[in-house]
Amino acid sequence: MSSKIRKINKVSFNKQLILPLSFKSVKNKENFIISSSNDSAVKLVENFNYWQKNTISAAIIFGPKGSGKTHLSSIFRDNNNSIYLESLSSFNLDTIKKGNIFVVDNFHPCKFYPSELVMHFFNRVLNFDGSILFLSRFSPHDMNWDLEDLNSRIRSIISSEINEPDDVLLYSFMVKYSNDKKLFLSDNHIFYILERVERSFENIIKIIDKLDAYTLEIKEKVNYKIIRTIFES
């Protein structure tokens, strides 16, 4: 979390027009919020039958850090018994078996993903009727692999972008999440937090959980001093 102050356009907020959110568990994963920024990615990972029947052989979900890619991938992994990889540089391609489903994280051209090795990995998984879900901060069209065939293949697979949540969406989420915890924050408290927290659902959840635990521990209501204490900790 960051204590750097970000300017918030408070005119854009209207409590009567809080965005409609689907705030629920997704396949037993709590605290996941579905909105227009990630709806297509959620639908992609929830098509478990398509992945297991190899109807989807490869796809990529991309978006900024903190946008929920890791959370979505954990849902995917739990429901597909998939193999999680953060690098291919030391991965033994001979261990790939028929029907294996992989989650490949932090995927982009780098020393952990050499182009030739990625191409061999891709071909071997698909030849064994397996599937791959790639996660990346970069769009497939922004990646530049050393092999043109690999560029073409990566850019042709199903892709879904998760956009960074805007302040209005984060405000709506914070209201709902804090109310569910019976931690009732004033608008001024919410704006104070929004101006200082990194823009992601993950960080909002962390700070609300810490506020909830701390106020219960000291038996006090939320105030600016307590919020500052949480940020400093």
Side-chain angles (χ1 to χ4, degrees), residues 1-18:
M1 288 184 290
S2 171
S3 59
K4 184 178 180 180
I5 297 177
R6 184 175 71 250
K7 188 175 181 180
I8 302 288
N9 179 14
K10 298 178 183 179
V11 177
S12 63
F13 294 81
N14 185 329
K15 285 192 292 185
Q16 302 303 317
L17 295 174
I18 290 179

Side-chain angles (χ1 to χ4, degrees), residues 86-113:
E86 291 181 291
S87 171
L88 285 179
S89 57
S90 59
F91 179 71
N92 184 355
L93 298 181
D94 291 333
T95 62
I96 297 173
K97 299 178 181 178
K98 187 174 180 62
N100 279 163
I101 300 177
F102 291 88
V103 173
V104 179
D105 202 357
N106 197 24
F107 182 66
H108 66 282
C110 62
K111 65 180 181 179
F112 301 110
Y113 295 109

Side-chain angles (χ1 to χ4, degrees), residues 6-55:
R6 184 175 71 250
K7 188 175 181 180
I8 302 288
N9 179 14
K10 298 178 183 179
V11 177
S12 63
F13 294 81
N14 185 329
K15 285 192 292 185
Q16 302 303 317
L17 295 174
I18 290 179
L19 300 180
L21 306 177
S22 177
F23 182 87
K24 61 181 181 181
S25 297
V26 180
K27 298 296 182 183
N28 299 321
K29 291 293 178 180
E30 296 180 353
N31 302 335
F32 193 88
I33 180 173
I34 303 172
S35 71
S36 58
S37 67
N38 60 24
D39 183 60
S40 64
V42 171
K43 289 177 179 175
L44 177 61
V45 302
E46 281 198 306
N47 281 327
F48 304 121
N49 289 333
Y50 290 115
W51 286 93
Q52 290 161 4
K53 293 178 181 178
N54 200 233
T55 305

Side-chain angles (χ1 to χ4, degrees), residues 61-80:
I61 294 175
F62 64 96
K65 181 180 178 181
S67 58
K69 299 188 300 295
T70 300
H71 197 152
L72 271 180
S73 73
S74 67
I75 297 168
F76 182 85
R77 289 158 60 190
D78 286 351
N79 286 276
N80 289 296

